[in-house]
Amino acid sequence: MRGPSQDRRLVVMRRRSLLTLAVLTGAAAACAPTGSTEMRRPRAENRLRIPPLRDPRPGADGVRRFPLTLRTGHTEFLTGKPAETWGINGSYLGPTLRMRRGDLVAMDVRNQLPQPSTLHWHGMRLPARMDGGPHQTIATGGTWSPQWRVDQPAATLWYHPHPHGETADHVWRGLAGMIIIADDAGLPARYGHDDIPLVIQDRVIGDDGEMEHDKRPTFGLMGDDILVNGTLGAQLEVYTTLVRFRLLNGSNARVYHLGFADGREFHVVAGDAGLLTAPAATARITLSPGERAEIVVAFAPGEPAVLRGFAGDDDVDDGNHQILRISAAADLSRSPALPDRLPGAGPVAVPAGARVRRFKLSGHDEINDREMDMNRVDEVVPAGAREIWEVRNAVYAHNFHIHGVDFTVLDVDGTPPPAWQAGRKDTVYLPPKKTARLAVEFDRHTDAATPYMYHCHILRHEDDGMMGQFTVVPPGTESWAPRTVSHAGHHR
Ligand code: C2O
Ligand code: CU
Ligand code: CU
């Protein structure tokens, strides 16, 4: 006998594959669900889990060390029904790593998984050898210990595996965590109290409690079980009049249009790569996989609120999901007022005559008509360059992430982004058939032998080959920089 929720799942899965078909035949718009904004309620309610915070003091050598072990484990998304999951220092997800600009940090990454993996610091500006991309493989039983100095503005970043062709599977199983580069901007900053991490992921969890896995084409599996920090049906009590939420879309493919059920406004204070120059009021934000936003929300004593998803207009965002149910305590302590100005870096200024590079995303696996090749360097960029990258999406929904840079969005199909999206970023959503122009600022770290990646962050697409590689080299050396990658950089 099938339970009601299993029936619902089957219906959802059937509709998903119809939609996938529709996309493949170019009929997505005609078949997309329309109208309904009725919220899907979770199958259970649980107190929001807050990932443990790691903020180590420096050792005698001045280095702050973060031990991180990739391991297998069991997680009860449904009480009493453990699922097999993967996690970092735990059974699902990993600790939040907090650091400050100027810190010398070292990661000690141990791989106790049955498969090789990597750990990538998404949004971190660091030397390519420390980036944790597909060239920095950690064998089963191996350890990798990258070290760098944090030298970028305060931001919410994240970390996740990046093994060639296996990223979707490793992230789906639970390998991801948040990184906070702390600020001094007068915003709520007490972790887990008025500064709350929200890692949002969709999954399919069976009635037996196990996560469903698949290798299905196009977008991979998308689910209607929303996990926040690994909690199914997350609920949270808040105790202050202002609360900062650090939102991360940690999903493999789903795009979220987020807002509150009562339509209230809130302030966006930061995008992917750091603070805005002023808080931006809005009632709705869109986050595609890998994107982050920090928002500050005001609460009245005793009031309830629901953070939810709203339906969009293509195949990866049809979710009217409840994300987080919030209740404000009867007595709230008064937060300092939201600052009028924020110390954000402002837009990337591209010089006149800046180099323009063009990228076309097509199918589910190609950029500029080629699949990813681990041995090929697609682009060579001079250190410190500011360029315009024009990314054209020829088909259905994609997004675009560049390692080791900040960018600001100049426009999408000629329209500049709204204020809340105008800050520095490292990942941008590309709705079907749209073109984004990005003002990109490259870092100063050079290494002609080790590439960084750019790719679609819909993880099935990345795995299928919608990814390219670039090196950053000393200015003037571009023309003789190697165009192939020699594989010396592997770790055991
Ligand atoms: Cu979030 Cu190439 O990664
Ligand atoms: Cu990245
Ligand atoms: Cu894609």
Side-chain angles (χ1 to χ4, degrees):
M1 276 246 317
R2 249 183 233 141
S5 63
Q6 202 174 346
D7 275 334
R8 183 179 60 83
R9 257 181 52 222
L10 284 174
V11 170
V12 167
M13 285 163 58
R14 225 171 267 138
R15 198 173 44 122
R16 286 250 67 93
S17 41
L18 277 176
L19 275 171
T20 303
L21 249 176
V23 163
L24 292 173
T25 58
C31 297
T34 48
S36 170
T37 55
E38 205 189 315
M39 190 165 67
R40 286 198 189 96
R41 309 242 166 226
R43 300 155 65 187
E45 288 233 315
N46 294 288
R47 199 190 154 107
L48 175 72
R49 183 180 162 268
I50 302 292
L53 182 68
R54 294 286 171 262
D55 191 352
R57 293 173 189 288
D61 54 0
V63 180
R64 293 171 205 264
R65 294 187 182 281
F66 295 84
L68 298 170
T69 301
L70 314 184
R71 40 158 282 202
T72 62
H74 291 91
T75 305
E76 290 187 17
F77 301 116
L78 293 175
T79 310
K81 296 179 173 177
E84 279 184 40
T85 54
W86 292 3
I88 300 142
N89 300 356
S91 69
Y92 191 83
L93 297 180
T96 297
L97 316 180
R98 189 164 67 189
M99 50 195 77
R100 283 155 209 80
R101 188 169 202 164
D103 285 356
L104 199 51
V105 298
M107 307 290 162
D108 282 308
V109 187
R110 291 158 51 82
N111 180 6
Q112 294 181 350
L113 302 171
Q115 290 177 33
S117 193
T118 83
L119 213 49
H120 165 58
W121 325 102
H122 179 133
M124 198 66 78
R125 298 175 70 154
L126 38 52
R129 283 177 304 122
M130 311 299 179
D131 194 39
H135 295 283
Q136 286 91 40
T137 302
I138 316 166
T140 295
T143 300
W144 178 55
S145 302
Q147 177 170 322
W148 67 90
R149 191 174 293 282
V150 178
D151 188 16
Q152 66 191 84
T156 300
L157 315 181
W158 65 304
Y159 58 97
H160 63 77
H162 216 301
H164 188 51
E166 298 294 333
T167 297
D169 185 54
H170 288 206
V171 173
W172 183 269
R173 288 174 187 273
L175 299 177
M178 196 174 267
I179 301 174
I180 295 174
I181 302 180
D183 62 70
D184 220 343
L187 295 166
R190 286 171 296 170
Y191 182 80
H193 185 71
D194 61 4
D195 182 352
I196 312 282
L198 300 177
V199 181
I200 303 170
Q201 301 176 304
D202 65 321
R203 293 291 183 271
V204 181
I205 294 163
D207 287 339
D208 58 358
E210 288 286 357
M211 278 179 20
E212 200 169 300
H213 299 274
D214 86 333
K215 290 267 185 191
R216 93 181 39 192
T218 311
F219 290 105
L221 192 57
M222 283 183 276
D224 286 314
D225 290 313
I226 303 296
L227 303 180
V228 183
N229 302 342
T231 312
L232 182 65
Q235 49 173 303
L236 172 73
E237 195 169 14
V238 297
Y239 304 95
T240 53
T241 54
L242 293 181
V243 178
R244 181 208 291 214
F245 294 100
R246 296 174 188 264
L247 304 166
L248 158 65
N249 182 349
S251 303
N252 281 32
R254 191 179 285 286
V255 174
Y256 298 88
H257 303 285
L258 297 167
F260 286 87
D262 59 9
R264 74 177 62 199
E265 286 206 332
F266 49 89
H267 286 90
V268 177
V269 295
D272 301 334
L275 296 168
L276 307 182
T277 51
T282 182
R284 204 64 76 76
I285 61 171
T286 297
L287 290 183
S288 68
E291 286 187 287
R292 291 87 67 205
E294 298 176 27
I295 65 171
V296 175
V297 187
F299 294 100
E303 85 173 333
V306 174
L307 177 67
R308 57 164 292 186
F310 291 87
D313 56 4
D314 65 66
D315 191 43
V316 283
D317 62 3
D318 75 329
N320 286 302
H321 299 99
Q322 176 174 318
I323 307 286
L324 176 69
R325 196 162 66 75
I326 301 165
S327 46
D331 267 317
L332 295 181
S333 64
R334 177 150 290 285
S335 308
L338 189 63
D340 291 336
R341 310 298 309 168
L342 295 167
V348 173
V350 258
R355 166 132 195 204
V356 180
R357 297 183 204 244
R358 294 192 169 81
F359 301 87
K360 182 188 71 177
L361 277 50
S362 51
H364 58 99
D365 55 359
E366 286 181 343
I367 298 179
N368 290 344
D369 301 315
R370 300 201 288 197
E371 283 184 25
M372 160 81 168
D373 181 342
M374 288 275 284
N375 296 310
R376 185 184 70 228
V377 174
D378 297 279
E379 305 289 336
V380 175
V381 178
R386 283 168 293 160
E387 301 185 345
I388 292 177
W389 282 28
E390 193 178 292
V391 189
R392 180 159 74 88
N393 176 4
V395 280
Y396 41 80
H398 291 296
N399 74 0
F400 196 74
H401 166 52
I402 313 175
H403 287 211
V405 307
D406 280 9
F407 60 71
T408 43
V409 179
L410 294 170
D411 53 60
V412 177
D413 271 14
T415 309
W420 73 265
Q421 233 170 5
R424 296 209 171 198
K425 296 178 61 56
D426 55 51
T427 307
V428 63
Y429 179 43
L430 293 166
K433 304 226 160 65
K434 301 268 189 210
T435 298
R437 289 194 317 130
L438 313 174
V440 188
E441 181 182 273
F442 292 84
D443 220 282
R444 305 249 154 222
H445 301 290
T446 58
D447 185 345
T450 312
Y452 297 100
M453 309 293 136
Y454 53 85
H455 57 88
C456 178
H457 218 290
I458 290 175
L459 298 179
R460 176 70 60 222
H461 298 174
E462 173 185 338
D463 283 345
D464 286 347
M466 189 172 270
M467 176 151 69
Q469 310 195 98
F470 69 98
T471 53
V472 175
V473 303
T477 68
E478 299 92 303
S479 53
W480 63 85
R483 291 295 183 148
T484 54
V485 182
S486 65
H487 288 268
H490 287 249
H491 297 259
R492 348 203 72 255

